[in-house]
Amino acid sequence: MKTINIMVSGILIAGLCAGHTAIAAGNSQAFSPIAPSSTAKPDNYIGGSIGTSNSDGFCTTLGNCDADGKSWKLYSGIRVNDSVLFEMGYANLGEQQGQDTNGAVSQKSTAVTATGLMTYSVNEQVELFGKAGLARWSNTYTDSTGSSKSSGNDMLVGAGANYDLGDNMGVRAEWERFKDIGSSTHKGDVDLLSVGVTFSSL
C-alpha cells in the first residue's frame, strides 16, 4: 500500500507540474482530445472520477450478496499526438460483500494502471475514446477463516467519452474492465462505470 501511495503521489505531482507548464506557456485551452484536430491541444491533463464497480462471479456461491461497490479513481495523462494519449492512474474498486454458511464474506480491490487511449473527435466538444493497457491489482478476500491477499498484472480495457466544458475543464464518462482479479480460487473480472472531471491546467 505504501508503494501504491507513492506512485499515486507521483502521478498527481507530475500532472500538476505539467499543468503549471501549460499556464506558463499561455495555453488556456481546455483538455482536449475534444478539440478539433486543427486546433492546438494541451499536452497534459489530470482528473478524478467516482463510480460503481461490479465483480463478476463474486456472488456465485454466496447468499445475501451484493457484487457492486462504490469506487473512485485518479489519473493523469499526456498527449502523444492528436489521436493518441498515454495515461496512468490509481483505482479503488470498492468492496463486495456476501454471506456463506459460516458468516460474512467480502473482498476489496485496488489497481495502479497504465493505458493507451485512441481518440475520435465527434465535434468541438465531444470526443469518444477506447483504451487498453495493464493493471497492477491488489485484492483482499475475507471470510470466517481470516483474510488472504493476492496481487497480479492483468489486462485492462475500456471505452468512454469526454465533453469539453471550456476554461480548462471537461467531463468524462467511461466503462472499464479489469481482467482476472483475485486469487486462483476467487478470480473474476471487475467492471467499473464512472463519471468525473478533467483539468488541463490548475
Side-chain angles (χ1 to χ4, degrees):
M1 182 60 71
K2 181 177 181 182
T3 300
I4 291 175
N5 289 337
I6 291 173
M7 293 182 69
V8 173
S9 298
I11 291 167
L12 293 178
I13 291 171
L16 290 172
C17 290
H20 178 75
T21 300
I23 293 175
N27 185 353
S28 61
Q29 184 179 347
F31 164 55
S32 97
I34 10 190
S37 58
S38 61
T39 303
K41 301 175 184 179
D43 294 329
N44 56 79
Y45 59 95
I46 61 174
S49 299
I50 58 174
T52 300
S53 61
N54 181 277
S55 181
D56 175 46
F58 176 75
C59 290
T60 302
T61 60
L62 301 176
N64 191 27
C65 187
D66 186 357
D68 297 332
K70 295 179 180 179
S71 304
W72 57 269
K73 66 176 190 170
L74 302 173
Y75 48 90
S76 178
I78 59 173
R79 178 171 297 282
V80 179
N81 57 44
D82 283 350
S83 300
V84 179
L85 306 171
F86 175 74
E87 189 171 288
M88 293 190 68
Y90 171 82
N92 184 314
L93 300 175
E95 180 178 11
Q96 291 78 39
Q97 298 179 322
Q99 297 277 336
D100 64 13
T101 56
N102 296 313
V105 176
S106 67
Q107 76 168 7
K108 298 179 181 179
S109 303
T110 61
V112 175
T113 63
T115 55
L117 283 70
M118 290 292 296
T119 69
Y120 173 76
S121 296
V122 178
N123 55 42
E124 293 185 2
Q125 289 182 300
V126 179
E127 173 201 59
L128 307 179
F129 64 84
K131 66 192 297 185
L134 186 69
R136 174 64 179 176
W137 55 264
S138 297
N139 175 270
T140 301
Y141 187 90
T142 303
D143 60 17
S144 59
T145 64
S147 296
S148 60
K149 296 184 178 182
S150 56
S151 61
N153 300 303
D154 283 286
M155 189 174 182
L156 163 65
V157 296
N162 294 308
Y163 184 84
D164 187 359
L165 296 175
D167 296 327
N168 301 317
M169 294 182 63
V171 175
R172 171 187 283 199
E174 63 184 316
W175 160 82
E176 295 165 286
R177 172 163 290 178
F178 295 77
K179 298 289 290 182
D180 296 332
I181 290 182
S183 66
S184 58
T185 55
H186 304 103
K187 191 178 292 290
D189 298 341
V190 175
D191 288 339
L192 173 60
L193 292 173
S194 64
V195 62
V197 293
T198 57
F199 303 89
S200 63
S201 60
L202 295 176

